[in-house]
Amino acid sequence: MRILASGSSGVHGVELGVVVTLFVLVAVLGFLAARWRRSGDANHLHEWGLGGRSFGGFITWFLIGGDLYTAYTFVAVPASLFATGALGFFAVGYTILVWPLVFIFLPRLWSVSRKHGYVTPADFVKGRHGSRLLSLAIAVTGIVATMPYIALQLVGIQSVLYVMGIGSSGSSFAQDLPLFVAFIILAAFTYTSGLRAPAAIAFVKDLLIYITILVAVIYIPMRLGGWTHIFSAASTRLAVKSPTTHLPAGSTLLAHGNALPFATLAIGSAMALFMYPHAQIGVLATKQRSTVRRNVSALTVYSLMLGFVALLGYMAIAAGFTTKSLGNNAQHAVPALFDAMFPSWFAGIALSAIVIGALVPAAIMSIAAANLFTRNIYVDYIKPDATPAQQTAVSKWVSLLVKFGALAFVLGLDATSAINFQLLGGVLILQTFPAIVGGLYTRYFHRWALLLGWAAGIVYGAVVAWQQSSATQHHFASQVALIPWTHQKAYIAVTALVVNLVVLVVSNLVLRAIKAPAGVDATASSDYDHDVEHEEPLAVTAKPETA
């Protein structure tokens, strides 16, 4: 068994060759996707940024799955179990909760967006609440929360490069150069093909991940002496007290006092997931309302897969890895496990799944962020008369800037900083829930009240997240914090959402009492049940009633 040590020398040639070969394959697919399923003028934003809203059930299933189950998911969820034990299983819990939750409201978002040509969630907020300022708040929050998410895909690639021996000897140039090359190619095919590129690549990405996980959960336990030994080794290692904190790292069972943190992490993460613009873009790209419902039902399969992925963290413990042997970075646990346990040729396939698993979501995230900037900042505040071709051109260029901004972010800061900002992004993005999901059902809440609630939640969440410290970190050391005036901890994003809702309700009562201007609702009640087969009649007969 090859146990990776920090500073291990030599590039693993077979693994690198497999990774490069598969990377070239998906890059070619990305460029060829420019002409795939072309259904309209390429100079329109809904063509480049939403694939012409033409994706069917099969494509959408892979696209949404490829978008949500990222390289960072592959790396971070097992790393969490490797480092802390059972609390890391909240990720499995929230992916179970998210699908019935979004089954309720995503079809309504698809319908109203299709009817009015909305490209971003901020477009919907502006139309529903009649507020450019609230729309701007939603757009800026989406962009800020998405940027570190893109950066974390690079963290996943860095882990693979390190394990293959590229840059593990201390040469930052050797490790950074492949990242530059990968992101230049990613930027090129995304610029050329738009959303069609990650949609095409998602087939390859998901196939590689399923093969890797199925082989891993059968083959690796056989080599490690079975599941009994794996759980026993994990339980023993996690119970060892840290010389720094004098506390055990965790346990394979949820420790006393962690029930509420676990529950709020699962519930809050489930509520936040589809507030990210990149999660919604795959839904808006579908061609029928029924496609959304079918896919949300079928995507539960990914939750089962994530349970197997999480267990890789315990396998890494049983394989003898320690934080020190991983270069003091738990994010290396899964790539190192694959490198140690699989034959070189299959380790290359498994590591390729992580690399390609970074490309698909990074492309979708950059497109989603670019669409937000174009529609809700550039058009609303800079050039209101921008033509469809101009909007598409701006979005393409911004998608490039977003990618290389994320690259600069990762190269300029360490992996811990990238993770910290992504955790903050989850706190921020959940504060858009009342405006987006609430707006799909009611206009009872005043646009200014929604804005005040959003601001309160953002400020509270950011400050509390910043204040969390540990023996090794001064800030952003935990996703959970004490609930004010209690001794119980909960997910910071959920506590911030409660602050958001309290301010929202109180200010809404005041604004309604003083009869402050509520804005014009551009949607009608029938828009939220709209489907494509009734598109033309509805476009003629829809009445401007208030939903």
Side-chain angles (χ1 to χ4, degrees):
M1 185 185 304
R2 293 171 292 161
I3 299 295
L4 178 74
S6 178
S8 68
S9 59
V11 175
H12 303 168
V14 174
E15 294 172 10
L16 180 61
V18 174
V19 171
V20 170
T21 299
L22 290 173
F23 178 83
V24 170
L25 170 64
V26 299
V28 171
L29 282 176
F31 286 110
L32 292 177
R35 298 185 178 277
W36 176 48
R37 300 177 65 89
R38 181 72 69 194
S39 59
D41 186 353
N43 289 321
H44 280 73
L45 191 58
H46 73 90
E47 270 293 331
W48 180 84
L50 290 180
R53 303 181 191 263
S54 63
F55 294 156
F58 186 72
I59 298 170
T60 302
W61 192 81
F62 282 100
L63 178 63
I64 297 178
D67 179 23
L68 299 182
Y69 293 86
T70 69
Y72 184 64
T73 303
F74 216 139
V75 168
V77 174
S80 180
L81 269 75
F82 176 86
T84 63
L87 187 61
F89 272 116
F90 85 86
V92 180
Y94 96 71
T95 59
I96 294 171
L97 293 173
V98 71
W99 303 119
L101 175 65
V102 300
F103 184 87
I104 298 171
F105 72 82
L106 280 183
R108 292 178 67 85
L109 180 62
W110 181 92
S111 291
V112 70
S113 298
R114 179 77 181 215
K115 179 65 183 291
H116 291 274
Y118 298 147
V119 175
T120 70
D123 280 350
F124 162 69
V125 168
K126 181 176 69 174
R128 177 61 153 164
H129 300 289
S131 174
R132 286 198 311 164
L133 191 58
L134 181 59
S135 171
L136 176 65
I138 301 301
V140 171
T141 305
I143 294 170
V144 171
T146 300
M147 286 291 288
Y149 221 146
I150 301 173
L152 284 181
Q153 307 315 308
L154 290 174
V155 172
I157 297 177
Q158 282 181 323
S159 298
V160 170
L161 295 175
Y162 180 89
V163 166
M164 289 193 302
I166 299 175
S168 60
S169 61
S171 171
S172 60
F173 176 78
Q175 190 172 27
D176 294 345
L177 181 61
L179 287 178
F180 274 111
V181 173
F183 256 53
I184 287 172
I185 295 173
L186 170 66
F189 67 63
T190 304
Y191 183 92
T192 302
S193 305
L195 191 64
R196 287 178 171 83
I201 297 171
F203 292 109
V204 178
K205 176 252 188 187
D206 285 4
L207 179 63
L208 289 174
I209 286 180
Y210 274 111
I211 290 173
T212 298
I213 296 305
L214 287 174
V215 172
V217 297
I218 297 172
Y219 178 75
I220 295 179
M222 290 172 58
R223 289 202 58 188
L224 292 175
W227 286 104
T228 300
H229 172 71
I230 290 172
F231 279 99
S232 176
S235 181
T236 301
R237 210 295 300 278
L238 290 168
V240 175
K241 293 184 178 180
S242 165
T244 304
T245 64
H246 305 292
L247 296 171
S251 64
T252 53
L253 297 176
L254 204 60
H256 176 71
N258 278 343
L260 187 59
F262 184 94
T264 52
L265 278 165
I267 295 169
S269 299
M271 294 173 67
L273 184 60
F274 273 86
M275 296 302 99
Y276 281 101
H278 67 270
Q280 296 177 8
I281 199 172
V283 174
L284 300 184
T286 59
K287 63 182 179 181
Q288 289 182 323
R289 180 184 169 103
S290 58
T291 302
V292 178
R293 289 183 174 274
R294 287 196 304 270
N295 272 277
V296 168
S297 300
L299 281 164
T300 53
V301 174
Y302 280 95
S303 301
L304 174 63
M305 183 196 69
L306 186 59
F308 293 136
V309 170
L311 290 172
L312 295 173
Y314 287 167
M315 294 183 205
I317 294 175
F321 288 101
T322 64
T323 303
K324 184 178 180 180
S325 72
L326 297 172
N328 293 316
N329 189 344
Q331 309 295 324
H332 295 159
V334 169
L337 178 69
F338 291 161
D339 176 67
M341 303 304 298
F342 289 140
S344 294
W345 65 271
F346 192 80
I349 293 175
L351 296 174
S352 296
I354 299 176
V355 173
I356 297 170
L359 299 181
V360 172
I364 299 171
M365 291 170 190
S366 67
I367 291 170
N371 289 347
L372 282 169
F373 175 85
T374 301
R375 295 281 290 206
N376 309 115
I377 298 176
Y378 179 75
V379 173
D380 281 353
Y381 291 93
I382 300 174
K383 191 174 176 58
D385 60 344
T387 64
Q390 289 172 328
Q391 292 181 39
T392 304
V394 169
S395 204
K396 286 182 175 182
W397 282 106
V398 171
S399 74
L400 298 181
L401 294 176
V402 167
K403 290 185 189 71
F404 288 103
L407 182 61
F409 181 86
V410 167
L411 299 182
L413 298 173
D414 57 21
T416 300
S417 298
I419 294 168
N420 290 342
F421 281 107
Q422 195 276 329
L423 296 178
L424 177 62
V427 174
L428 302 181
I429 202 67
L430 185 56
Q431 308 316 310
T432 66
F433 193 92
I436 297 174
V437 178
L440 290 170
Y441 293 92
T442 180
R443 275 201 89 232
Y444 174 75
F445 294 110
H446 196 282
R447 53 183 176 169
W448 298 344
L450 288 164
L451 190 60
L452 288 171
W454 166 86
I458 291 285
V459 172
Y460 174 87
V463 170
V464 173
W466 168 264
Q467 290 173 339
Q468 303 313 300
S469 61
S470 69
T472 56
Q473 281 185 243
H474 294 298
H475 304 289
F476 300 110
S478 176
Q479 298 184 68
V480 300
L482 286 172
I483 302 171
W485 307 295
T486 75
H487 298 288
Q488 180 64 59
K489 290 185 176 182
Y491 182 28
I492 297 169
V494 172
T495 311
L497 181 62
V498 172
V499 173
N500 180 336
L501 294 174
V502 169
V503 173
L504 167 60
V505 170
V506 172
S507 59
N508 188 70
L509 292 173
V510 173
L511 290 165
R512 288 172 65 88
I514 65 175
K515 295 181 169 40
V520 177
D521 183 5
T523 71
S525 59
S526 58
D527 297 345
Y528 296 87
D529 297 312
H530 171 69
D531 206 350
V532 67
E533 56 261 32
H534 305 300
E535 204 161 63
E536 290 305 318
L538 280 174
V540 175
T541 62
K543 297 179 181 179
E545 57 184 300
T546 300

